[in-house]
Amino acid sequence: MIARRTLLKIAGSTVAVGSIGTASARGSKQKKGRIEKLGHSLLSDPAGGYAEEDVRSDGQYALLGSYAGPGGSFLVDIGNPTDPTEVHEFPTPSNGVRHADVQFDRRDGLYYRTREGGGGDDEPPNGVDVIDYGYSDGTLEDPVKASRIPAGSTHNLEPHPEADVLYTTEHDGVGVWDTSDPTDVTGGNVVSPDPAGDCHDLVVDTERDLLHCAFIGGGFDGYVAMDISDPLSPSVAGKFSYEGLPDYSEERLEAGEPGFSNCHYASHDPDRDLVVVGDEIGFGAPGGKHLLDIGWGDGSISDPEHVGFTYSPNAEMMDERTELFDWTTHNHQVISKGSNSLLVSGDYHEGTVVYDVSDPTDPVPTDQYRTDDMADQADGAGFVGEAPMAWGANYSEERDLVVTSDMQTGIYVFKVTPDAAKGGDNGR
């Protein structure tokens, strides 16, 4: 087994160091990005653990999903970020259903949670639950289910922040739903690239009227940009295919070189024409993060250009079953701080990681917080390894806060700043 290490590509070669490096590549300026924990809570600590997180646009509330247990979804008051407080746990309606993703609607009092599997005498499997927690009949403490959207086995979803439209991941593309009446959602037309593929995740970009999509196989593996200038009628605007590109391997990991497989998540830089794409690989050589130019340099939306790549800070081969998903990257968001662009990511066993992507040709991890607080008290998710197992990270621009969900240990609230990177571990 390869020793724990950090891989940084410096001046065309790879240097292995014992903690996150602060020296920049190719003699450029010192890297930026620090993380500080403000608050944490196990919440009600459900069996099966937590999944995706979201932050409401006003930054006052957060959501967490429950991946493999009865917990369903959790509304959390983060008005005081040092003391995140559970407002409600809304249990799942049937055994075996996974609520991997949860997202607030643009209308106050509504959120969505995905459904994978489940079903029973009273309810079919799959789809999306529309949850009313103050929109009509529900309240903050006592939510009700407004409706069930008859989507497929939905792993991720994304509401449009400026229109009553919901996008869902489908096995043959992107599902499009009219949510103007949340009690009777219509639509369900599916859009896909050619060849069609399985959409794994999607993020709305209102600055460019784009939907950034990660396709993970089923005919197409790679990134797809969809034009959503008409939110109900997406069309493929460009794509970056992994076909013919090298896969991940131990040799490429040792050399700090990118692989291309299992395109898992794609999100944009808010101020620059760049997209960050993450690959998730559960066993063997871990996936990393790619920087794609869609207009920043020579690239374009119709023809994205690969300009940069990084592994997680301590990436190593996952060659034992106890290391499943430990060192692969996961879900992320770019934070623009003046002349600095910072990527914050929930990277499983790395915890919450900050990367400096100000120079997209030279992305570098700069700080991390290992999300293992109170791990000895957590019931958590029994099907993954020990904490930290951070799922993702969401940024509230309104309050300049980052929220992370750890599958084992619950919710974390952070402050991420463009201070000079200090290296080390656990953001302390």
Side-chain angles (χ1 to χ4, degrees), residues 3-8 14-21 312-315 365 368:
R4 179 179 171 96
R5 66 191 181 279
T6 297
L7 293 166
L8 300 177
T14 302
V15 176
V17 295
S19 62
I20 297 176
S312 68
N314 298 289
Q368 69 185 129

Side-chain angles (χ1 to χ4, degrees), residues 379-395:
D379 287 334
F383 57 94
V384 294
E386 63 184 21
M389 286 301 289
W391 185 281
N394 279 81
Y395 176 63

Side-chain angles (χ1 to χ4, degrees), residues 67-88:
Y67 189 67
S73 50
F74 307 83
L75 182 70
V76 185
D77 185 342
I78 57 170
N80 177 0
T82 67
D83 184 27
T85 304
E86 184 173 306
V87 179
H88 73 236

Side-chain angles (χ1 to χ4, degrees), residues 72-140:
S73 50
F74 307 83
L75 182 70
V76 185
D77 185 342
I78 57 170
N80 177 0
T82 67
D83 184 27
T85 304
E86 184 173 306
V87 179
H88 73 236
E89 174 185 352
F90 193 18
T92 188
S94 57
N95 291 329
V97 66
R98 297 188 299 274
H99 300 292
D101 197 6
V102 286
Q103 299 286 328
F104 287 103
D105 188 73
R106 72 191 187 104
R107 292 162 290 189
D108 189 27
L110 287 174
Y111 69 80
Y112 304 95
R113 64 184 189 187
T114 60
R115 296 171 55 93
E116 293 179 282
D121 295 337
D122 300 325
E123 198 164 35
N126 303 323
V128 174
D129 289 334
V130 184
I131 307 300
D132 172 355
Y133 70 101
Y135 178 77
S136 179
D137 298 329
T139 66
L140 286 168

Side-chain angles (χ1 to χ4, degrees), residues 250-268:
E250 185 170 1
E251 293 72 26
R252 298 189 71 81
L253 174 64
E254 291 282 7
E257 296 174 349
F260 299 86
S261 181
N262 281 33
C263 182
H264 184 82
Y265 192 81
S267 187
H268 56 286

